[in-house]
């Protein structure tokens, strides 16, 4: 606790340019990321660290802890919120339960495709989502891509909602996802990302849902070989910083930090597009059985109670949902 406090003090002091003795304090931030080396997000965050040092002339450096070595995503989000860590690359899925505005992106099928999601995030919708996150202690510096999430399982192809009936499906920690699986007649099982491989292998769950790169990088395709193209969620990710650490920066450093994050996002998005295609090819070559879902409308219709419950609990977010739906 004392160490944490001391680190925060040092970080804040460095950020506002307090000097200790003769030397200007230098801030070393710590960053969390769940993905392994070579994954687009890891490359993006490593690039962010380089750019940060460059753009601040070394006043701020970032030590990245990749591959989830600092713990699960919900825990890491909490750590960044309280300032025990300064930076994280987070999926907005597990942020939703903390920041209701950010949860709009977790409403199944809310985005038509990746471009639609980008247009929303780059506009007024993205601003409202960022504001909602900042109120909860997380400043979103830039958005990373995370593709579309589809269902995969070890039993067989999913073509209609009836195929989800009775399946035990791992979801990220967010009631919207549990509601989504229940609405399709399946049994949701919220679980940390790191536990999914073994749970699939031992039959604790029958399936999960994710994008091509995560399905591939985790090896889930080895133990759940049916991938069905539902694309039910298109969830963006953020480069997030603790709000107090950000607020304590000089305007010049705020700009440097933001630019570094945005430039790292340009790289991440480029790498993402390449990796999504490569991962898909790799797992199909390894024997994964892939199927399209010709009638997605049946899945969408089943989501009505999920929307109804969310909007009843968050009536102030009805306009944001409408804004997203009406964004071309
Ligand atoms: C990945 C995402 C991770 C994590 C993971 C999961 O696609 O990049 O941040 O959310 O999915 O399913 O837990």
């Amino acid at each position: 606790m004392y160490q944490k406090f001391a680190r925060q003090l040092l970080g804040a002091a460095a950020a506002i340019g307090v000097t200790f003795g003769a030397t200007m304090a230098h801030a070393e931030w710590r960053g969390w990321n769940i993905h392994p080396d070579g994954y687009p997000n890891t490359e993006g965050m490593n690039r962010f660290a380089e750019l940060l040092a460059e753009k601040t002339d070394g006043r701020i450096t970032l030590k990245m802890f990749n591959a989830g070595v600092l713990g699960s995503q919900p825990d890491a989000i909490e750590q960044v919120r309280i300032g025990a860590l300064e930076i994280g690359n987070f999926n907005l899925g597990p942020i939703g339960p903390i920041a209701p505005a950010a949860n709009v992106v977790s409403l199944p099928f809310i985005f038509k495709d990746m471009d639609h999601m980008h247009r929303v995030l780059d506009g007024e919708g993205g601003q409202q989502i960022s504001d909602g996150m900042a109120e909860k202690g997380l400043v979103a510096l830039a958005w990373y891509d995370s593709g579309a999430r589809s269902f995969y399982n070890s039993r067989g192809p999913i073509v209609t909602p009836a195929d989800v009936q009775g399946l035990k499906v791992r979801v990220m920690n967010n009631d919207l996802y549990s509601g989504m699986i229940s609405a399709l007649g399946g049994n949701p099982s919220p679980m940390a990302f790191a536990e999914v491989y073994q749970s699939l292998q031992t039959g604790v769950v029958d399936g999960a849902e994710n994008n091509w790169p995560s399905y591939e990088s985790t090896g889930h395709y080895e133990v759940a070989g049916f991938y069905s193209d539902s694309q039910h969620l298109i969830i963006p990710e953020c480069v997030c910083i603790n709000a107090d650490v950000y607020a304590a920066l000089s305007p010049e450093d705020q700009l440097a930090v933001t630019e570094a994050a945005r430039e790292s996002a340009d790289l991440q998005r480029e790498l993402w597009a390449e990796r999504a295609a490569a991962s898909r090819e790799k797992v199909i070559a390894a024997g994964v059985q892939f199927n399209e879902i010709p009638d997605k409308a049946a899945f969408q219709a089943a989501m009505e109670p999920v929307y109804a419950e969310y909007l009843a609990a968050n009536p102030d977010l009805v306009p944001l949902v409408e804004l997203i739906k009406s964004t071309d």
Side-chain angles (χ1 to χ4, degrees):
M1 188 61 212
Y2 168 74
Q3 269 181 338
K4 241 186 239 172
F5 180 65
R7 205 168 42 239
Q8 270 173 270
L9 248 184
L10 268 177
I16 54 175
V18 171
T19 51
F20 291 100
T23 50
M24 167 78 89
H26 143 250
E28 178 163 79
W29 292 348
R30 304 199 312 157
W32 180 96
N33 155 46
I34 208 165
H35 295 291
D37 281 351
Y39 200 89
N41 301 35
T42 309
E43 299 297 307
M45 292 305 285
N46 289 344
R47 182 81 189 118
F48 174 50
E50 279 170 24
L51 288 167
L52 189 60
E54 260 172 43
K55 288 178 190 287
T56 63
D57 296 321
R59 283 190 300 284
I60 307 172
T61 51
L62 169 66
K63 185 163 167 48
M64 278 308 301
F65 292 85
N66 297 317
V69 292
L70 292 185
S72 76
Q73 183 149 212
D75 286 350
I77 290 169
E78 219 32 55
Q79 301 265 303
V80 173
R81 286 185 67 204
I82 64 174
L85 292 172
E86 289 79 10
I87 298 280
N89 161 220
F90 299 130
N91 185 284
L92 259 54
I95 290 180
I98 299 157
N103 224 7
V104 286
V105 304
S106 291
L107 288 164
F109 300 106
I110 188 139
F111 295 120
K112 295 180 204 114
D113 51 32
M114 295 267 287
D115 287 346
H116 180 216
M117 182 272 282
H118 287 149
R119 285 194 297 277
V120 168
L121 281 189
D122 292 342
E124 167 60 23
Q127 193 54 51
Q128 290 184 26
I129 292 169
S130 310
D131 292 348
M133 287 166 58
E135 271 171 31
K136 303 294 175 178
L138 295 171
V139 171
L141 297 169
W143 305 115
Y144 277 14
D145 275 347
S146 196
R149 296 173 76 99
S150 289
F151 293 120
Y152 51 89
N153 78 100
S154 57
R155 298 287 177 108
I158 292 172
V159 184
T160 72
D163 298 319
V164 182
Q165 195 87 40
L167 281 188
K168 285 177 286 179
V169 184
R170 178 268 173 172
V171 289
M172 289 190 281
N173 276 290
N174 185 325
D175 288 347
L176 278 178
Y177 307 144
S178 295
M180 167 182 81
I181 300 299
S182 300
L184 294 169
N187 301 315
S189 181
M191 184 185 295
F193 195 40
E195 289 164 30
V196 184
Y197 185 92
Q198 210 187 354
S199 300
L200 286 166
Q201 193 176 35
T202 56
V204 169
V205 293
D206 302 306
E209 43 87 55
N210 221 314
N211 50 52
W212 290 109
S214 281
Y215 179 53
E216 179 258 306
S217 69
T218 52
H220 293 176
Y221 69 98
E222 299 161 358
V223 285
F226 296 92
Y227 192 97
S228 307
D229 199 30
S230 50
Q231 301 197 9
H232 52 273
L233 287 167
I234 298 177
I235 315 172
E237 306 208 355
C238 64
V239 178
C240 276
I241 184 170
N242 169 277
D244 295 335
V245 170
Y246 184 74
L249 294 174
S250 67
E252 184 198 0
D253 280 348
Q254 284 186 345
L255 187 67
V257 168
T258 306
E259 277 180 5
R262 296 208 172 139
E263 286 173 32
S264 82
D266 292 340
L267 173 70
Q268 192 273 347
R269 288 184 188 189
E270 220 176 274
L271 295 176
W272 181 268
E274 287 167 17
R275 178 64 176 253
S279 293
R280 179 188 162 124
E281 224 171 86
K282 177 176 167 184
V283 300
I284 290 177
V288 161
Q289 221 179 296
F290 167 73
N291 69 280
E292 306 271 356
I293 298 187
D295 182 18
K296 288 218 190 104
F299 288 83
Q300 288 164 1
M303 294 303 120
E304 263 173 44
V306 178
Y307 276 73
E309 202 178 309
Y310 171 76
L311 293 175
N314 300 285
D316 52 322
L317 292 173
V318 173
L320 178 54
V321 172
E322 289 308 320
L323 173 70
I324 295 176
K325 285 187 170 166
S326 64
T327 301
D328 283 336

